[in-house]
Amino acid sequence: MGNTLAGSFDELHRLCKDVFPAQMEGVKLVVNKVLSSHFQVAHTVHMSALGLPGYHLHAAYAGDWQLSPTEVFPTVVGDMDSSGSLNAQVLLLLAERLRAKAVFQTQQAKFLTWQFDGEYRGDDYTATLTLGNPDLIGESVIMVAHFLQSLTHRLVLGGELVYHRRPGEEGAILTLAGKYSAGHWVATLNVGSGGAHASYYHRANEQVQVGVEFEANTRLQDTTFSFGYHLTLPQANMVFRGLVDSNWCVGAVLEKKMPPLPVTLALGAFLNHWRNRFHCGFSITVG
């Protein structure tokens, strides 16, 4: 069983977010190496004016059970930096409709985060339960429950409940969500006591995509409006992403593939007019 009509709660705004450029700063070299049909590694060296140079080793193992082009089980992914800090996750398929994921994060020899997810995918709905940093001795835990129901092939409704408990403190936040998908556009809205998040994605043609986001945070009393665009130039092997937001920030990233070489070059620049901050980045990806 592959993807359901409802999809995943964490990916409700994914189409819109993929339009926006990723932040870049400094110089980065990434070397990818496929060792076999199941195993691949990547080496990353990053030099920045904001901090010390860093190195990351990324390794990934993919099993034999492929449900879709993006879903292979079991999957084990790990990333370790030069200080010994580790980020790792394991994805398992427990049954045809039941998935499990474990995530661990350490800072040198100290555990920072451990998280366990269980997801059940029906024909037209998805239910997920997440436990974050469970501590039976300290009586603290973070629980997140997601549910999405596909009412029609275009309309998906659902919600998220976040519950946290620690000594002397306990609380819950409820968020309702909806997504409507048409032929060339997708509109998504999350509304809860913590704020609101709305996005609109539109594919104008094979080369041009645009996205608009609105986010409001009631705790910080802050709202942000962002506009992004994605331009593909297949004949030039180039992809251009840009953004502008209500905080007077503008940014852009240009990616250029260099066939027949397995090399991708990227150049990005971001400017915050309000705070008078500017940073740029350059990356080379091999493999």
Side-chain angles (χ1 to χ4, degrees):
M1 180 69 63
N3 295 329
T4 65
L5 291 174
S8 172
F9 193 93
D10 294 332
E11 297 184 351
L12 285 174
H13 299 273
R14 182 180 59 84
L15 280 176
C16 182
K17 288 187 175 296
D18 287 347
V19 170
F20 289 79
Q23 292 284 334
M24 294 183 65
E25 197 281 326
V27 179
K28 180 185 292 185
L29 172 64
V30 181
V31 180
N32 297 310
K33 178 65 175 179
V34 178
L35 302 180
S36 69
S37 59
H38 298 286
F39 194 69
Q40 65 180 25
V41 297
H43 305 272
T44 302
V45 179
H46 184 211
M47 293 176 289
S48 169
L50 302 179
L52 296 175
Y55 167 78
H56 284 259
L57 172 63
H58 178 89
Y61 170 82
D64 295 314
W65 198 340
Q66 184 167 356
L67 296 186
S68 70
T70 59
E71 290 184 307
V72 181
F73 296 95
T75 298
V76 182
V77 180
D79 185 279
M80 179 176 288
D81 64 17
S82 53
S83 68
S85 299
L86 172 68
N87 291 311
Q89 67 177 15
V90 181
L91 292 91
L92 300 173
L93 187 67
L94 303 181
E96 185 179 9
R97 297 177 181 268
L98 184 61
R99 295 159 170 80
K101 180 172 70 172
V103 179
F104 303 94
Q105 182 180 6
T106 68
Q107 185 175 17
Q108 297 179 349
K110 180 182 179 181
F111 267 101
L112 291 182
T113 303
W114 49 97
Q115 176 180 308
F116 306 96
D117 297 8
E119 181 183 79
Y120 184 85
R121 297 189 177 185
D123 292 331
D124 58 358
Y125 69 91
T126 302
T128 307
L129 179 64
T130 301
L131 294 178
N133 289 7
D135 185 355
L136 298 179
I137 298 177
E139 297 183 350
S140 65
V141 68
I142 299 175
M143 297 180 61
V144 182
H146 294 151
F147 182 80
L148 288 177
Q149 174 72 56
S150 179
L151 301 182
T152 69
H153 70 285
R154 295 181 181 271
L155 181 62
V156 176
L157 297 178
E160 173 190 66
L161 178 64
V162 179
Y163 169 81
H164 71 275
R165 175 187 174 88
R166 61 184 179 182
E169 184 178 348
E170 184 178 20
I173 298 176
L174 176 65
T175 301
L176 302 179
K179 182 175 76 170
Y180 187 86
S181 304
H184 298 286
W185 59 271
V186 177
T188 310
L189 175 64
N190 293 18
V191 179
S193 56
H197 182 193
S199 69
Y200 175 80
Y201 164 84
H202 189 96
R203 174 183 285 273
N205 50 50
E206 292 298 323
Q207 284 76 42
V208 180
Q209 305 170 58
V210 296
V212 180
E213 272 195 312
F214 172 80
E215 294 185 80
N217 189 309
T218 56
R219 183 176 64 87
L220 300 178
Q221 296 293 307
D222 180 62
T223 60
T224 303
F225 177 84
S226 306
F227 171 79
Y229 57 94
H230 179 288
L231 176 63
T232 303
L233 303 174
Q235 295 181 346
N237 296 305
M238 296 173 60
V239 174
F240 185 82
R241 292 180 173 91
L243 72 86
V244 58
D245 66 24
S246 57
N247 292 323
W248 297 93
C249 295
V250 295
V253 172
L254 176 65
E255 296 180 8
K256 168 71 174 177
K257 294 184 181 296
M258 308 291 291
L261 299 176
V263 176
T264 301
L265 306 179
L267 177 65
F270 297 85
L271 174 62
N272 186 321
H273 292 85
W274 187 263
R275 298 182 180 180
N276 195 27
R277 292 180 181 177
F278 173 79
H279 64 270
C280 61
F282 177 73
S283 71
I284 303 175
T285 302
V286 181

